[in-house]
Amino acid sequence: MRDDDNLRGQGTPTINDVAALAGVSKKTVSRFINKSPLMSDATRAKVEQAIQQLGYVPNPQARALALRRNFMIAMLHDNPNGQTVLNFQKGVLSAIKDTELALAVRPVDRTSPGLLADIESFLTKQRPLGVLILPPISERDDIFDLCKRLDIAYIRVGSAALDDPAHCVASNDREVVQELTAALLAKGLKRIGFVRGPEGFRSPIERENGFRDAFANNGVALDASLMAQGNYRFDSGLAAGRELLDREDRPGAIFASNDEMASGVLHAAYSLGLAVPGDLEVVGFDDTATASHVWPTLTTVHWPIEEMGRLAATKLVSEFLGDWTHDCDLAQVVVPSYIVERASAKL
Amino acid sequence: MRDDDNLRGQGTPTINDVAALAGVSKKTVSRFINKSPLMSDATRAKVEQAIQQLGYVPNPQARALALRRNFMIAMLHDNPNGQTVLNFQKGVLSAIKDTELALAVRPVDRTSPGLLADIESFLTKQRPLGVLILPPISERDDIFDLCKRLDIAYIRVGSAALDDPAHCVASNDREVVQELTAALLAKGLKRIGFVRGPEGFRSPIERENGFRDAFANNGVALDASLMAQGNYRFDSGLAAGRELLDREDRPGAIFASNDEMASGVLHAAYSLGLAVPGDLEVVGFDDTATASHVWPTLTTVHWPIEEMGRLAATKLVSEFLGDWTHDCDLAQVVVPSYIVERASAKL
DNA sequence: TTGTAGGCGTTATCAG
DNA sequence: CTGATAACGCCTACAA
């Protein structure tokens, strides 16, 4: 029995030091750390006092080994937009600020055939308490099957409810796009171009559906020739803009499914000598930094990614921290987007 | 002795299973894992075979506990620019792809009085092998003292050599800004405005020095009234642009210390009815996505942040993975920036 | 070159 | 309510 080696005072204090000082067993200290209710107040006080005095902090690696689980949550993403990732991260961190949890950010490559193996390796090695999965990979069912199999909690983040409320946080893209489009229609603009996002993902579909909803609701016919394909990147917005604008019956407004493509549309307009606004109104989606840096500043939809991060992390963590609800409604799924009116289109 | 519990076949295989299957002791397996040279080839082969057969992967938590060190590197940053962080991350990940290392990204708040305590808590809890520190907090000496005290390796990333080569990766901001400014001067533009970055950091100083160097080298007098203060953010670029342009003797070109401020300058020019290029040429620094999304596309300096991430991670990891050099010169400190000519200024 | 014994700091079991 | 003892899976020291 050399457990008291640590009492020599060198290095950081361990549970043994606390136990010795408090005059209890280490299991009792462990109980205190884990907020066990099975303790007398007197013992609790003694242990707390000893912990204070020693400045003891439990060793996460040792806990991880014993619990087969790291006190860490992970963010899985394959998102080319740095600002989106960072804003989400900000929300997550604000939610876990007062906990002992760590955050690991894991970018993955959705085009890689080894994607799933890569994620599995990461999860089995790191053993996080749970994972937060950002779009677009949040739409892949195989990743959730994997999480279930490995018994790792998860939250999917997307542009529409992708799972049951306990496992999902979503924005209301369809609804807000409908609203914004309706505002354009209400101004008398009947010919509105639309630049789609990439095929195979959910958010472009939601946004397009919202666009179509507005036309349907207002009984306005939608000209299919004004629907252009994009892929969320600048160049595709530029190309789509040229396609839509370089013709006799060009639209009076263009809705691009994200801000990056909207800036591409602006470039297309300028290169054709069109004034925005004036000859053309342009709206985007996301409200990234780009939206307020282009000229004219972009009327767009604020996608509440930071709020979504906070809610997602809160949901995930509440499973482990019990009553810790962070004044936040855990049943909430949808974080509402809202319209931001700037110079490129007046509503 | 119940070590052979794991032989029951449940759960993931441990070092004991491998040892049993290979007919050696677990220490021998441990030697294999840690690439010890003190093994006969025959034993090595036996162990390797057993590992293959079992699909054994060492448990990082157990290693972390025994070694008092996590097989993880951390990125510390307080950078508001998501794309910068993401690009750096990309470089880091490409460097550690073939290793068993994990990456944790840790944003911090440099304005918080608890910054150092926060970092210390993170480092003592997570015990990463090393940390990569991005600007601007890479300039704070207290953080490195902390790393030394905790015996955690570190690499500082900055716009100039901040430390000895083993602990530092830098770009050559001063040099490339000098080059770009000289090109402007060579065109005959003698009145060039300059928008500074925030005070108290290194990169703005480097960039300003490069600007001044060009004037000095070419024997052109620098008009102090054309030096405006900014803080790297869009709004400050807008304000500085207005200040520099709304006067009789406005400059023919403006050098903004980063792209975000350069877009602010563009807005200022437009709001004053100036054409870019034509009435004014504008150049920026960073080559973030913004640079190619604004109108006109921005002539700027490509700041090689991804390459810097790769180099920094390679340096850090080489301390632990021995001969693993990743075909990369570890003595290299400077990753050169280069000029990207686009529409806002012709060189 | 290989093995034995013990430690890393925590939690689980189960008896008191 | 509390504590002795045995995990958790790996590594180091020392011995053989």
Side-chain angles (χ1 to χ4, degrees):
Chain A
M1 166 61 99
R2 312 270 288 103
D3 256 355
D4 50 1
D5 252 5
N6 297 306
L7 298 180
R8 287 170 304 174
Q10 66 171 39
T12 52
T14 74
I15 199 169
N16 291 306
D17 303 306
V18 177
L21 181 62
V24 298
S25 76
K26 51 194 220 178
K27 178 62 207 178
T28 299
V29 179
S30 174
R31 288 203 180 86
F32 177 86
I33 297 168
N34 295 289
K35 307 192 200 343
S36 162
L38 303 166
M39 288 180 78
S40 72
D41 286 343
T43 313
R44 202 187 308 274
K46 270 195 302 189
V47 174
E48 179 155 30
Q49 147 73 14
I51 287 179
Q52 287 289 329
Q53 190 173 328
L54 259 29
Y56 165 74
V57 178
N59 177 317
Q61 282 77 39
R63 302 190 78 186
L65 178 58
L67 292 168
R68 287 171 211 73
R69 187 125 289 189
N70 252 311
F71 274 59
M72 176 193 92
I73 63 180
M75 247 174 80
L76 239 48
H77 79 266
D78 174 31
N79 198 310
N81 187 319
Q83 212 52 53
T84 296
V85 175
L86 207 66
N87 285 339
F88 188 86
Q89 200 174 94
K90 222 160 127 186
V92 172
L93 285 166
S94 81
I96 65 173
K97 191 195 326 243
D98 305 318
T99 73
E100 53 182 327
L101 264 33
L103 171 66
V105 180
R106 179 74 181 190
V108 298
D109 177 6
R110 75 165 163 266
T111 64
S112 155
L115 171 67
L116 214 60
D118 185 54
I119 295 178
E120 175 159 6
S121 152
F122 172 75
L123 292 180
T124 55
K125 278 188 186 150
Q126 295 303 128
R127 295 218 141 279
L129 285 185
V131 283
L132 266 14
I133 314 184
L134 271 59
I137 55 166
S138 60
E139 292 158 22
R140 292 188 46 151
D141 288 326
D142 48 3
I143 297 179
F144 307 98
D145 296 340
L146 179 64
C147 290
K148 283 174 193 152
R149 181 155 63 75
L150 297 176
D151 190 31
I152 291 178
Y154 65 86
I155 304 280
R156 308 165 71 160
V157 177
S159 288
L162 294 163
D163 210 315
D164 59 290
H167 296 288
C168 143
V169 167
S171 51
N172 60 339
D173 293 17
R174 182 170 185 164
E175 204 178 311
V176 71
V177 170
Q178 188 280 132
E179 189 186 332
L180 178 49
T181 309
L184 255 23
L185 289 173
K187 282 177 54 176
L189 286 164
K190 299 301 178 195
R191 292 183 58 74
I192 308 178
F194 187 84
V195 186
R196 288 194 190 94
E199 294 181 88
F201 301 112
R202 187 63 181 271
S203 69
I205 296 175
E206 292 296 315
R207 295 171 193 183
E208 177 170 349
N209 283 340
F211 184 75
R212 292 179 179 276
D213 286 349
F215 278 78
N217 293 348
N218 289 276
V220 181
L222 192 152
D223 181 349
S225 76
L226 293 182
M227 306 293 283
Q229 187 65 45
N231 61 16
Y232 275 166
R233 287 198 296 264
F234 179 84
D235 289 336
S236 72
L238 177 60
R242 291 210 172 108
E243 177 190 332
L244 293 172
L245 295 173
D246 194 12
R247 49 194 265 184
E248 291 300 305
D249 58 343
R250 62 176 164 75
I254 292 181
F255 191 124
S257 296
N258 74 354
D259 289 343
E260 201 170 321
M261 293 198 298
S263 6
V265 170
L266 289 180
H267 280 228
Y270 295 148
S271 67
L272 293 168
L274 299 174
V276 180
D279 297 329
L280 177 73
E281 309 213 5
V282 176
V283 298
F285 195 109
D286 278 350
D287 195 23
T288 51
T290 298
S292 34
H293 294 174
V294 293
W295 179 271
T297 54
L298 215 50
T299 292
T300 188
V301 171
H302 180 80
W303 193 43
I305 189 69
E306 182 174 340
E307 268 309 321
M308 291 168 82
R310 189 183 346 269
L311 179 61
T314 304
K315 280 191 181 197
L316 192 63
V317 170
S318 70
E319 292 187 35
F320 304 98
L321 269 50
D323 57 347
W324 177 82
T325 51
H326 215 272
D327 62 295
C328 179
D329 176 12
L330 296 179
Q332 183 187 356
V333 169
V334 173
V335 182
S337 305
Y338 52 86
I339 296 169
V340 180
E341 184 178 340
R342 296 206 183 85
S344 68
K346 292 296 166 186
L347 305 177
Chain B
M1 166 61 102
R2 314 267 288 105
D3 256 356
D4 49 3
D5 255 3
N6 297 305
L7 299 178
R8 287 173 302 174
Q10 64 171 42
T12 52
T14 75
I15 198 171
N16 290 305
D17 302 307
V18 177
L21 181 62
V24 299
S25 75
K26 49 194 224 179
K27 176 62 218 183
T28 302
V29 179
S30 173
R31 289 205 177 84
F32 178 87
I33 297 169
N34 295 292
K35 307 191 198 350
S36 162
L38 304 164
M39 289 180 76
S40 73
D41 286 343
T43 314
R44 203 187 305 276
K46 269 197 303 188
V47 174
E48 177 155 33
Q49 147 73 16
I51 287 179
Q52 287 290 329
Q53 190 172 326
L54 258 29
Y56 166 73
V57 178
N59 177 317
Q61 283 76 40
R63 301 189 77 188
L65 179 57
L67 293 167
R68 289 173 210 73
R69 188 123 288 190
N70 251 314
F71 274 61
M72 174 190 94
I73 63 182
M75 246 173 84
L76 238 48
H77 80 266
D78 174 30
N79 199 310
N81 188 318
Q83 210 55 51
T84 297
V85 176
L86 206 67
N87 285 339
F88 188 86
Q89 198 175 97
K90 221 161 128 184
V92 172
L93 286 166
S94 82
I96 65 173
K97 192 197 322 245
D98 306 318
T99 73
E100 54 180 326
L101 264 32
L103 170 66
V105 180
R106 180 74 180 189
V108 298
D109 177 6
R110 77 169 162 264
T111 65
S112 157
L115 171 68
L116 214 61
D118 185 54
I119 296 178
E120 174 159 6
S121 151
F122 173 74
L123 293 180
T124 54
K125 278 186 186 155
Q126 294 304 129
R127 296 219 143 276
L129 285 185
V131 283
L132 268 13
I133 314 185
L134 271 59
I137 54 166
S138 59
E139 292 158 22
R140 291 187 49 148
D141 289 325
D142 49 1
I143 297 179
F144 307 99
D145 295 340
L146 180 64
C147 290
K148 282 172 193 153
R149 181 155 62 76
L150 298 176
D151 188 34
I152 291 179
Y154 66 86
I155 304 279
R156 306 166 72 162
V157 177
S159 287
L162 294 164
D163 210 318
D164 59 292
H167 296 289
C168 146
V169 166
S171 52
N172 59 342
D173 293 17
R174 181 169 185 164
E175 202 178 312
V176 72
V177 169
Q178 186 281 132
E179 189 186 331
L180 178 47
T181 308
L184 255 21
L185 289 172
K187 283 178 54 177
L189 286 165
K190 300 299 177 196
R191 293 184 56 74
I192 307 179
F194 187 84
V195 186
R196 289 194 189 94
E199 294 180 87
F201 300 112
R202 188 64 182 271
S203 69
I205 297 175
E206 291 295 316
R207 295 172 193 182
E208 177 170 349
N209 283 340
F211 185 74
R212 292 179 180 277
D213 287 349
F215 278 79
N217 293 348
N218 289 275
V220 181
L222 192 151
D223 180 350
S225 77
L226 293 182
M227 306 294 283
Q229 187 64 46
N231 60 16
Y232 275 166
R233 287 199 296 266
F234 179 83
D235 289 335
S236 72
L238 178 59
R242 290 214 173 106
E243 176 190 333
L244 293 172
L245 295 173
D246 194 11
R247 49 195 262 183
E248 289 300 305
D249 58 342
R250 61 175 165 76
I254 292 181
F255 192 124
S257 295
N258 76 353
D259 290 344
E260 201 169 319
M261 293 196 300
S263 2
V265 170
L266 289 180
H267 279 227
Y270 295 149
S271 67
L272 292 168
L274 300 173
V276 181
D279 298 327
L280 176 73
E281 309 213 5
V282 175
V283 299
F285 195 109
D286 277 352
D287 195 23
T288 51
T290 297
S292 33
H293 293 173
V294 294
W295 179 272
T297 53
L298 215 51
T299 293
T300 189
V301 171
H302 180 82
W303 194 43
I305 188 69
E306 183 175 340
E307 269 309 320
M308 291 169 82
R310 195 187 336 277
L311 179 60
T314 304
K315 281 192 182 197
L316 192 64
V317 170
S318 69
E319 291 187 36
F320 305 97
L321 270 50
D323 57 346
W324 176 84
T325 51
H326 214 271
D327 62 296
C328 180
D329 176 13
L330 295 180
Q332 183 186 355
V333 170
V334 173
V335 182
S337 305
Y338 52 86
I339 295 168
V340 180
E341 184 179 339
R342 296 209 182 85
S344 67
K346 291 297 166 189
L347 305 177

